[in-house]
Amino acid sequence: MKKYIAIVGSLLLAACATSGANQGQAEAKPTPEEARAFVERVNRELQQLWTRQATASWVKATYITEDTDRLAAWAREEVMAYMSRAVEESKRFDGLDLDDETARALKLLRLSQSLPAPSEAALRSELALVASQLQSIYGRGKWCGEDGNQPCRDLGELSETIAKSRDWDELLDAWVGWRTVSTEMRPLYERNVALGNLGAQGMGFANLGELWRSNYDMTPAEVEEETERLWQQVKPLYDDLHCYVRSRLQAIYGEDRIPSDGPIPAHVLGNMWAQDWSNLYPELEPFPGQGDLNVDEALVRNGYDAVRMTKLGEQFFLSLGFDPLPETFWTRSMLVQPRDRDVVCHASAWDLTGEGDIRIKMCIRPTEEDLITIHHELGHNFYYQKYNHLPPLFQRGAHDGFHEAVGDAIALSITPQYLHEVGLIGEPPADDKGLINFQMKMALQKIAFLPFGKLIDQWRWDVFSGKIGPEEYNKSWWELRERYQGVSAPVARTEEHFDPGAKYHIPANVPYLRYFLAHILQFQFHKAMCELAGYEGILANCSVYGSKEAGEKLQAMLALGQSRPWPEALEALTGTREMDAAPLIEYFEPLQNWLKEQNKGQSCGW
Ligand code: X8Z
Ligand code: ZN
């Protein structure tokens, strides 16, 4: 690292001296060979720097203290500084006629940080610390009651209340309580936005949102159009689901609390952010008693612990022909919440070295939700393994939505029949009633999520561009929640609060469009793999467990990493180059027909 600073320093110095001394003489034009050598060096140095950053970041996320905050911030600062310099240096090659691979690597270099820093050292360290602190506030967050006299509860415990309680006030207390944690983030977040924008400008983008939207092999404007197009494809299905759920909740909480023509209060949907409604399934089950989908109970009854649940997930990937996870995955991952310290429980997958030290960090509980999340996280890990042979700058998903979609696509194969075969539930009924029940559960996860997945970055793009100023952070947030999700704040919110910060990805600065795209893509992957597996029948009932044909094509797609534009990767598995919600619509067709019947005579919408 030190060596590299010296080299860059002398290069810059040399350039200044030359232009000063040889007025009028053109500087030697760099050659494509130099560009290639530059990329090779950056790849080598990045692997080392990223390993240091990931290591510090892992320790901090699994052991939050002021000290680990600082250590992680320093490591991040080092990477940020390197990146600013490398990008500056790479500008020499602008306009050169380069081979595809080198040109792509240079482009990705500017896009590889979701939070680039300003080049001024003081601002860079400020940003690194702000970013680290925002995450830690989230990770440490607890609610101990209005006067601090309730037993303190962390996000896991508060989420459990939101999932299980049907008591209006108890739900409200947990919902409001968690949002007291994010109020102190507001000034830090403002700095995060201002400094992140400066960093993005240094990389050649108008603001950070433009940088994020530039990583899809399309223009930022095309990304917005594409997202809107996909949303319009699925919105009718969301509207049908919303209508049905609202009327059923009305039966529980009364018409004065759940008005017939308005949005649904956000705290009664079974999830802290109202992004996944499947915890309401017992109340919303279309045909009560037709098929037993209670996996939570079965996991407990069968003595599943975190390791066994994770092994079950690994087994699915092995059945498709993937290589097993390395031994170190099992010894170094954090699978359960430690009892003696604060950690960031939000599930994540890690690749610490770019060459095999892969892990997950998760506070696993024996629930179906966590079993699915394990498959989601393992999807990231198996992706890492498949592209580890590539240079570090290409060790990414074809786009970030691909990375998020892999594990989810596999989890779509966790059908009632599959669950039965692994001994977790009884024989599923073969009739339509069983199918509609199962589809309802899936829709409460997948369809409920879609508008949420879209609006998070809708909000951030406008925040980064300055269209939404700090004085209306919360107001604009709730406008979007209402417009897209048809969900409202259950009590008045003000600009004292900072409700966006109550969602992990805002303080952690993780772009969110990826999850929206993943929710579309995973159905494309699923359909393609089912066809490869030779499956014929209702898409929702297909499980590709054991199909080497499906596994082979999936692995071929993953092995491309980000070395090629994403349509090529998509084509490798699905034969198409477009993102398309048609497979999702097809998957849910039986349920959508059923919902339309149920909603007859209702006034839908909000
Ligand atoms: O953050 C995640 C994963 C880690 S990449 C657990 N997800 C989003 C969320 O929790 O909000 C998965 C679904 C959406
Ligand atoms: Zn993920």
Side-chain angles (χ1 to χ4, degrees):
M1 180 59 208
K2 279 229 174 65
K3 204 163 146 208
Y4 178 61
I5 296 173
I7 296 168
V8 176
S10 63
L11 265 179
L12 290 176
L13 220 69
C16 292
T18 319
S19 56
N22 306 315
Q23 285 280 328
Q25 228 177 41
E27 230 180 277
K29 203 172 166 225
T31 63
E33 286 68 43
E34 281 177 83
R36 258 197 301 278
F38 172 79
V39 165
E40 208 182 290
R41 174 162 60 82
V42 167
N43 268 318
R44 204 171 48 242
E45 289 166 345
L46 269 181
Q47 171 154 18
Q48 204 190 345
L49 280 164
W50 278 341
T51 301
R52 291 165 72 143
Q53 182 187 16
T55 307
S57 180
W58 171 269
V59 173
K60 168 222 154 96
T62 56
Y63 201 141
I64 308 175
T65 68
E66 287 76 10
D67 301 325
T68 55
D69 256 3
R70 220 182 287 157
L71 290 168
W74 285 339
R76 184 199 277 255
E77 211 179 317
E78 217 182 340
V79 174
M80 285 170 158
Y82 178 89
M83 282 295 187
S84 298
R85 281 194 309 270
V87 167
E88 210 40 53
E89 205 188 331
S90 75
K91 289 180 183 164
R92 291 196 299 141
F93 308 115
D94 285 354
L96 268 191
D97 191 16
L98 301 170
D99 62 273
D100 283 0
E101 196 178 318
T102 308
R104 188 163 178 82
L106 288 174
K107 183 181 103 167
L108 294 180
L109 178 65
R110 296 180 197 206
L111 295 166
S112 66
Q113 300 176 97
S114 60
L115 189 63
S119 50
E120 196 183 311
L123 296 180
R124 178 164 62 231
S125 26
E126 184 188 351
L127 181 57
L129 195 57
V130 161
S132 194
Q133 285 170 338
L134 276 167
Q135 264 215 55
S136 298
I137 295 173
Y138 188 94
R140 265 198 293 260
K142 287 180 192 60
W143 169 238
C144 312
E146 203 71 70
D147 308 311
N149 52 11
Q150 285 176 18
C152 295
R153 282 175 295 165
D154 64 14
L155 178 58
E157 291 161 311
L158 294 167
S159 294
E160 198 162 321
T161 301
I162 298 270
K164 300 222 172 100
S165 171
R166 300 295 175 254
D167 178 299
W168 184 269
D169 293 326
E170 204 171 82
L171 287 166
L172 194 56
D173 174 72
W175 190 93
V176 171
W178 177 244
R179 281 159 182 76
T180 61
V181 168
S182 51
T183 51
E184 68 165 304
M185 290 178 191
R186 187 181 261 269
L188 292 170
Y189 194 71
E190 276 184 45
R191 286 305 283 161
N192 183 86
V193 170
L195 298 173
N197 271 340
L198 276 180
Q201 282 151 15
M203 301 281 153
F205 301 92
N207 58 60
L208 192 52
E210 289 242 331
L211 186 155
W212 288 5
R213 290 196 303 283
S214 297
N215 212 353
Y216 295 92
D217 301 301
M218 293 185 263
T219 66
E222 283 165 349
V223 171
E224 286 179 68
E225 281 163 31
E226 187 66 353
T227 309
E228 186 58 32
R229 177 181 71 79
L230 295 168
W231 168 237
Q232 289 306 328
Q233 272 191 289
V234 297
K235 186 175 184 306
L237 182 49
Y238 180 75
D239 290 347
D240 291 339
L241 182 69
H242 183 281
C243 193
Y244 171 75
V245 169
R246 184 175 61 192
S247 78
R248 296 292 293 254
L249 286 174
Q250 220 173 40
I252 300 173
Y253 295 103
E255 217 180 316
D256 48 336
R257 285 177 156 161
I258 316 277
S260 297
D261 53 1
I264 304 171
H267 66 313
V268 296
L269 285 157
N271 172 278
M272 187 56 91
W273 309 275
Q275 69 180 68
D276 174 338
W277 305 346
S278 56
N279 285 315
L280 299 182
Y281 178 74
E283 278 79 10
L284 303 184
E285 192 174 36
F287 298 101
Q290 298 296 308
D292 158 32
L293 296 177
N294 195 340
V295 177
D296 291 12
E297 206 181 86
L299 287 169
V300 175
R301 190 166 11 92
N302 288 294
Y304 269 85
D305 61 7
V307 172
R308 205 169 144 208
M309 286 167 74
T310 310
K311 293 257 182 206
L312 185 62
E314 184 196 28
Q315 179 51 42
F316 204 115
F317 287 86
L318 298 187
S319 86
L320 299 177
F322 281 84
D323 293 333
L325 295 164
E327 191 48 38
T328 50
F329 172 91
W330 301 101
T331 53
R332 297 177 189 173
S333 286
M334 184 192 98
L335 300 181
V336 289
Q337 181 170 14
R339 293 208 275 180
D340 60 341
R341 59 185 197 262
D342 287 325
V343 301
V344 180
C345 269
H346 188 88
S348 52
W350 297 62
D351 181 359
L352 279 91
T353 55
E355 50 185 21
D357 187 347
I358 56 178
R359 313 176 191 175
I360 66 177
K361 174 185 67 58
M362 207 177 149
C363 301
I364 298 176
R365 296 166 181 229
T367 64
E368 181 178 21
E369 195 176 335
D370 277 5
L371 184 65
I372 291 167
T373 303
I374 289 170
H375 286 75
H376 173 95
E377 297 308 333
L378 291 182
H380 290 307
N381 284 295
F382 284 102
Y383 213 150
Y384 298 146
Q385 279 199 332
K386 278 290 138 195
Y387 62 48
N388 264 176
H389 65 284
L390 295 171
L393 281 167
F394 291 154
Q395 291 195 18
R396 296 273 168 123
H399 68 49
D400 53 10
F402 280 65
H403 228 301
E404 300 302 337
V406 175
D408 281 10
I410 297 303
L412 288 178
S413 281
I414 305 185
T415 55
Q417 184 58 34
Y418 169 80
L419 286 168
H420 171 60
E421 277 161 28
V422 297
L424 280 172
I425 59 172
E427 182 100 49
D431 63 5
D432 282 359
K433 291 179 180 163
L435 174 67
I436 296 298
N437 275 355
F438 170 56
Q439 290 228 305
M440 175 60 72
K441 199 164 178 183
M442 294 304 289
L444 293 171
Q445 289 169 30
K446 305 291 181 183
I447 305 304
F449 179 81
L450 292 163
F452 183 80
K454 183 172 193 298
L455 76 85
I456 303 277
D457 279 356
Q458 203 80 33
W459 183 81
R460 273 191 295 196
W461 293 342
D462 285 351
V463 164
F464 291 135
S465 77
K467 203 167 142 195
I468 295 174
E471 68 292 347
E472 49 179 11
Y473 275 172
N474 229 32
K475 179 170 154 275
S476 55
W477 173 258
W478 283 106
E479 277 168 9
L480 288 171
R481 295 265 274 161
E482 202 166 313
R483 169 142 64 97
Y484 282 101
Q485 282 184 286
V487 157
S488 58
V491 285
R493 308 302 286 166
T494 70
E495 294 302 328
E496 298 270 288
H497 307 116
F498 182 56
D499 296 330
K503 176 68 199 163
Y504 172 77
H505 304 70
I506 304 279
N509 241 299
V510 178
Y512 211 82
L513 176 65
R514 58 185 63 181
Y515 302 108
F516 174 77
L517 299 178
H519 273 66
I520 308 284
L521 280 172
Q522 62 188 260
F523 290 92
Q524 291 185 262
F525 295 177
H526 180 63
K527 184 175 159 76
M529 288 194 287
C530 290
E531 279 167 9
L532 288 162
Y535 176 83
E536 285 169 15
I538 294 171
L539 192 51
N541 282 336
C542 161
S543 176
V544 300
Y545 185 89
S547 168
K548 298 288 182 288
E549 294 78 9
E552 204 174 300
K553 284 264 171 115
L554 175 63
Q555 292 178 66
M557 176 177 82
L558 304 189
L560 289 174
Q562 203 180 3
S563 65
R564 305 291 309 155
W566 64 261
E568 244 173 78
L570 187 58
E571 197 172 17
L573 175 62
T574 67
T576 164
R577 299 173 64 89
E578 309 270 339
M579 290 188 279
D580 180 14
L584 177 151
I585 309 280
E586 178 190 336
Y587 182 101
F588 285 109
E589 196 187 279
L591 180 74
Q592 190 168 19
N593 293 337
W594 184 85
L595 284 171
K596 285 203 184 301
E597 276 298 311
Q598 301 303 305
N599 291 339
K600 271 198 183 139
Q602 297 268 354
S603 75
C604 294
W606 56 90

